[in-house]
Amino acid sequence: MEHIRTTKVEQVKVLDRFSTSNKSLTGTLYLTATHLLFIDSHQKETWILHHHIASVEKLALTTSGCPLVIQCKNFRIVHFIVPRERDCHDIYNSLLQLSKQAKYEDLYAFSYNPKQNDSERLQGWQLIDLAEEYKRMGVPNSHWQLSDANREYKICETYPRELYVPQIASKPIIVGSSKFRSKGRFPVLSYYHQNKEAAICRCSQPLSGFSARCLEDEHLLQAISKANPVNRYMYVMDTRPKRRMQSWWATQKDIGRIIVMISSKIWNDEKIRESDERKRLNAMANRAAGKGYENEDNYSNIRFQFVGIENIHVMRSSLQKLLEVSGTKGLSVSDFYSGVESSGWLRHIKAIMDAAIFLARAIMVENASVLVHCSDGWDRTSQVCSLGSLLLDSYYRTIKGFMVLIEKDWISFGHKFSERCGHLDGDPKEISPVFIQFLECVWHLTEQFPQAFEFNEAFLLQIHEHIHSCQFGNFLGNCQKEREELKLKEKTYSLWPFLLDDQEKYLNPLYSSKSQRLTVLEPSTVSFNFKFWRNMYHQFDRTLHPRQSVFNIIMNMNEQNKQLEKEVKDLESKIKQRKNKETDGVPTKELLHSVHPESPSLKTSLCFKELPVNDALRTIEGSNSADNRYSDYAEAFSKSEPAVVSLEYGVARMTC
């Protein structure tokens, strides 16, 4: 609260960034410890979490007031006009402090209290059990074992404690391979396909050095290929663009030339200043200890595949270009599509999808195991492994299964959520939409296969909302070790039980569990199958031309059907009660009144007594006067005495 200078400002206007008439809403702006709240004149409330705020910009003073533009990580953009510049300045400074926390303990999750006791909190965290998930896959088995090599995080701090490796992989081999791989992230099991006996494994790239060879790493990859009794060949899928490898080999040659030149100068006693020489040697050592590629000559029974997914910096720039295009007012359709194309965003989505499709086909068609890696093995590797598993296994297309998938391939394997999402005030160059791209790939799959997923678009959007909200502990921190040190399971709550409590909102009405149980998805990645995700990037822009969701229409129809079914049951219950009373021979006064109406006019109208039969039957187009199809109805209408009114399924039937 010490950062809040002004708690309430009245007569604040909110502009609609896409409105052509510059219409605005006037209301009151409140600042709390966790939220910014705007209540307009219609008493509509807009809540914005401080942690959702990506940037705050105070524009030049105008005649109507001081503009304040807030851009959020969930792609909401709010344009306030504050009457007084002093109030605007106070709010601006307060939001700068409140939206950028210096330490984890100041995040919303550590103060959020949903009124659950410790037992309920613990049950929420125990909802996802990865040991049970690996059992569902069929491991451990005769080919794969649970290793305790990383039980104390001594080999790799960014991996989970429990890791699955080939049965024949000894601890010395694991340790040796970890020293050869970036950040110690050696090859481990991510997903096991029981029917094909093939595996998806993951790791980081090799450290190049000068020899670029590690016997232990070669033995570990051989162990992975031997763990597949069906196909001894395996793929090493490098998710980086292939041109990087070509430049890397050029760099290795340059390093060699530098070594020769420096050595020559040293041996010839040339006058080189010691400080300059030290700098050059340090630079050379850094490059020599840098990151490289597997040498194909050193690995047998292995095929290498490059899939060309760009790094986090390219992705961050691409998203920024996309947001600039989507936020531009008054663009023509052709200019909009041209801008989306030039941003490259959908091309990157396609590259990730292509990589996952290749992985799935390698397992399903060739029965081959696949080892996936990028640079450090926590960004592009997570995207491809999780998406490939989603294509292969229908369990991950359920609500619970999708939670398990995120826990397994993203949270436990050390995707740096806090750095990539900017939870703390850190290096902005580490922020990148890696997980957003994964969600968008899943959304594209739901568009191509509407019956294959138990969840709907709202489920994906809600998860995206909470990777930035810092309201729950699931996505805080950068690895499991860090989360254990923060004691998140003791001090914060898990997101998953809260999503399951609202499961009805996230159900896909088109989902067919029986037909999709054993189905492997084979999406098409031709260009016209990729489109702009409007509900992600414009979900808060209500004045845009509405695009009514088919899912929403079906959900509304389902709700209406449920309501009608309830009314039918109520009517059937009333009918049953009345029949019981009639059979008992004790008709109530109301029942007698309904059976024998006292009003002569009502009696006449009910029996159609004064209505001539010939006039009552209108000629229908295409019929003639000799047509006697309606004679039965005429005879029925001509009866004079009213009998009993009976109700069946809510429809009144009367005989006169």
Side-chain angles (χ1 to χ4, degrees):
M1 292 295 288
E2 66 271 11
H3 299 305
I4 300 178
R5 304 184 183 186
T6 302
T7 59
K8 178 181 178 181
V9 181
E10 296 180 339
Q11 297 301 310
V12 176
K13 294 181 179 179
V14 173
L15 301 180
D16 189 326
R17 62 174 178 152
F18 289 109
S19 175
T20 55
S21 58
N22 292 323
K23 290 183 178 180
S24 63
L25 288 173
T26 303
T28 304
L29 190 66
Y30 297 89
L31 212 54
T32 71
T34 57
H35 290 79
L36 180 147
L37 169 63
F38 178 76
I39 305 177
D40 63 25
S41 56
H42 304 294
Q43 297 304 305
K44 181 183 177 182
E45 299 179 354
T46 301
W47 293 80
I48 300 176
L49 261 170
H50 296 325
H51 298 315
H52 271 148
I53 297 176
S55 65
V56 186
E57 187 179 5
K58 181 172 170 283
L59 305 180
L61 185 66
T62 65
T63 55
S64 56
C66 189
L68 189 70
V69 180
I70 298 174
Q71 296 189 30
C72 298
K73 298 170 186 176
N74 57 357
F75 308 118
R76 181 199 293 267
I77 296 180
V78 189
H79 195 154
F80 290 114
I81 302 293
V82 183
R84 295 173 53 195
E85 185 178 14
R86 180 180 181 84
D87 291 335
C88 184
H89 184 73
D90 288 344
I91 294 171
Y92 170 75
N93 285 325
S94 297
L95 291 177
L96 284 180
Q97 297 290 329
L98 293 167
S99 61
K100 301 291 183 183
Q101 301 297 339
K103 54 185 180 179
Y104 285 111
E105 289 76 9
D106 293 333
L107 296 177
Y108 183 34
F110 288 90
S111 60
Y112 173 63
N113 183 12
K115 297 181 180 179
Q116 287 186 354
N117 56 40
D118 291 341
S119 176
E120 291 173 319
R121 185 209 306 260
L122 183 60
Q123 288 177 4
W125 283 109
Q126 292 174 342
L127 185 66
I128 305 297
D129 186 351
L130 292 184
E132 289 296 320
E133 170 57 13
Y134 281 101
K135 285 182 183 178
R136 185 191 70 85
M137 295 182 205
V139 290
N141 55 33
S142 59
H143 303 293
W144 294 90
Q145 64 173 330
L146 175 62
S147 172
D148 61 352
N150 200 47
R151 188 60 54 86
E152 303 300 326
Y153 299 110
K154 290 181 180 179
I155 297 179
C156 179
E157 292 188 345
T158 59
Y159 266 173
R161 290 179 183 272
E162 297 183 343
L163 297 168
Y164 293 85
V165 297
Q167 281 281 3
I168 61 175
S170 63
K171 191 170 182 179
I173 289 178
I174 292 172
V175 173
S177 176
S178 69
K179 293 178 180 178
F180 179 67
R181 296 279 171 177
S182 175
K183 310 297 183 186
R185 294 171 69 91
F186 59 94
V188 295
L189 180 69
S190 171
Y191 175 76
Y192 182 73
H193 197 290
Q194 278 186 279
N195 295 336
K196 298 293 182 178
E197 297 186 86
I200 299 175
C201 297
R202 58 184 295 166
C203 64
S204 60
Q205 65 189 0
L207 298 172
S208 62
F210 291 120
S211 63
R213 184 168 188 180
C214 174
L215 293 177
E216 291 87 353
D217 191 72
E218 294 168 23
H219 288 317
L220 185 53
L221 265 64
Q222 283 300 310
I224 293 174
S225 66
K226 290 178 181 178
N228 183 346
V230 181
N231 189 345
R232 294 300 185 190
Y233 279 90
M234 66 174 286
Y235 283 98
V236 172
M237 182 187 292
D238 194 326
T239 61
R240 297 169 294 176
K242 192 171 184 178
R243 65 176 181 274
R244 303 282 170 86
M245 185 187 77
Q246 296 167 346
S247 64
W248 177 81
W249 283 113
T251 301
Q252 300 307 300
K253 294 177 182 178
D254 292 341
I255 291 174
R257 294 192 194 100
I258 292 171
I259 294 171
V260 172
M261 291 172 60
I262 292 176
S263 300
S264 175
K265 289 178 181 179
I266 292 174
W267 286 106
N268 292 330
D269 294 327
E270 292 186 9
K271 293 182 180 180
I272 302 175
R273 288 187 303 172
E274 185 178 352
S275 60
D276 291 343
E277 180 61 25
R278 190 171 297 162
K279 289 178 182 177
R280 295 177 71 179
L281 288 172
N282 286 338
M284 181 188 68
N286 288 334
R287 294 176 73 183
K291 301 164 184 178
Y293 298 80
E294 294 89 350
N295 190 333
E296 296 185 29
D297 297 334
N298 299 331
Y299 295 88
S300 59
N301 298 332
I302 289 178
R303 301 164 183 167
F304 290 86
Q305 180 74 26
F306 289 86
V307 292
I309 303 174
E310 297 290 349
N311 61 34
I312 61 170
H313 311 293
V314 175
M315 300 306 188
R316 181 178 60 250
S317 175
S318 178
L319 178 61
Q320 188 58 41
K321 292 175 183 176
L322 179 75
L323 295 178
E324 288 174 3
V325 172
S326 64
T328 303
K329 186 176 177 179
L331 275 181
S332 65
V333 174
S334 60
D335 288 342
F336 173 78
Y337 283 127
S338 176
V340 171
E341 172 65 23
S342 62
S343 73
W345 181 255
L346 293 180
R347 287 200 304 274
H348 299 317
I349 298 296
K350 180 183 184 303
I352 299 168
M353 292 274 280
D354 284 333
I357 292 169
F358 177 87
L359 187 155
R361 284 177 179 168
I363 288 179
M364 292 304 298
V365 178
E366 301 182 47
N367 289 78
S369 294
V370 183
L371 174 65
V372 183
H373 75 71
C374 51
S375 298
D376 293 319
W378 49 49
D379 290 320
R380 290 169 280 193
T381 302
S382 294
Q383 289 176 330
V384 175
C385 288
S386 57
L387 206 59
S389 301
L390 192 77
L391 296 177
L392 291 167
D393 197 329
S394 61
Y395 173 66
Y396 295 132
R397 297 173 221 145
T398 65
I399 289 178
K400 178 75 176 293
F402 194 70
M403 296 174 182
V404 171
L405 182 66
I406 292 173
E407 282 281 348
K408 177 174 68 72
D409 274 320
W410 291 87
I411 296 174
S412 74
F413 272 115
H415 175 66
K416 302 197 293 183
F417 275 103
S418 283
E419 288 191 11
R420 296 293 180 259
C421 299
H423 291 159
L424 300 180
D425 190 12
D427 186 359
K429 292 181 180 179
E430 288 296 314
I431 297 174
S432 188
V434 178
F435 189 73
I436 296 173
Q437 288 181 316
F438 165 68
L439 293 179
E440 184 154 341
C441 286
V442 176
W443 174 74
H444 279 289
L445 289 175
T446 64
E447 291 290 295
Q448 284 198 41
F449 304 97
Q451 289 184 297
F453 292 83
E454 185 185 24
F455 51 83
N456 57 22
E457 180 186 50
F459 184 64
L460 299 175
L461 294 174
Q462 192 67 8
I463 292 175
H464 175 258
E465 187 83 1
H466 286 296
I467 65 172
H468 298 292
S469 72
C470 301
Q471 183 174 347
F472 299 93
N474 304 71
F475 304 110
L476 301 187
N478 295 308
C479 61
Q480 291 292 63
K481 182 175 184 288
E482 190 174 13
R483 295 184 185 100
E484 289 179 12
E485 293 170 350
L486 291 170
K487 298 181 179 179
L488 293 180
K489 292 186 178 180
E490 301 172 21
K491 298 180 179 180
T492 68
Y493 295 86
S494 172
L495 169 65
W496 308 132
F498 289 88
L499 292 181
L500 287 178
D501 287 344
D502 289 334
Q503 185 169 329
E504 290 294 324
K505 295 194 301 187
Y506 308 126
L507 290 175
N508 171 17
L510 300 178
Y511 176 61
S512 175
S513 58
K514 293 181 180 179
S515 62
Q516 298 298 331
R517 190 168 296 162
L518 300 174
T519 303
V520 176
L521 300 185
E522 299 180 23
S524 169
T525 57
V526 293
S527 58
F528 60 77
N529 281 321
F530 294 93
K531 50 191 177 183
F532 179 75
W533 191 1
R534 179 188 180 277
N535 283 341
M536 169 66 89
Y537 304 107
H538 284 308
Q539 61 177 309
F540 301 104
D541 298 313
R542 299 303 180 191
T543 56
L544 285 179
H545 183 63
R547 297 288 187 273
Q548 203 164 15
S549 170
V550 175
F551 289 105
N552 290 340
I553 295 173
I554 296 174
M555 291 293 284
N556 291 335
M557 291 176 65
N558 283 345
E559 287 298 319
Q560 292 175 6
N561 287 342
K562 289 179 182 178
Q563 186 65 30
L564 289 172
E565 288 172 1
K566 183 181 177 183
E567 292 177 4
V568 168
K569 289 181 180 179
D570 291 341
L571 288 171
E572 287 177 341
S573 176
K574 291 178 181 178
I575 292 169
K576 189 175 181 180
Q577 290 176 4
R578 288 200 170 191
K579 284 183 177 179
N580 290 338
K581 290 178 182 178
E582 289 178 4
T583 55
D584 292 340
V586 189
T588 61
K589 184 177 180 181
E590 291 80 10
L591 183 61
L592 288 170
H593 182 76
S594 63
V595 173
H596 300 287
E598 297 177 0
S599 171
S601 60
L602 181 60
K603 181 178 178 180
T604 303
S605 62
L606 285 172
C607 298
F608 303 96
K609 194 170 184 179
E610 297 179 358
L611 184 64
V613 172
N614 291 337
D615 294 337
L617 297 175
R618 296 182 179 179
T619 303
I620 299 176
E621 185 178 358
S623 66
N624 53 60
S625 57
D627 193 348
N628 62 354
R629 286 178 293 172
Y630 304 97
S631 58
D632 293 339
Y633 294 100
E635 292 175 3
F637 285 141
S638 65
K639 294 180 181 179
S640 58
E641 294 298 326
V644 68
V645 177
S646 64
L647 293 173
E648 284 190 13
Y649 303 105
V651 179
R653 296 196 311 172
M654 188 180 340
T655 56
C656 297

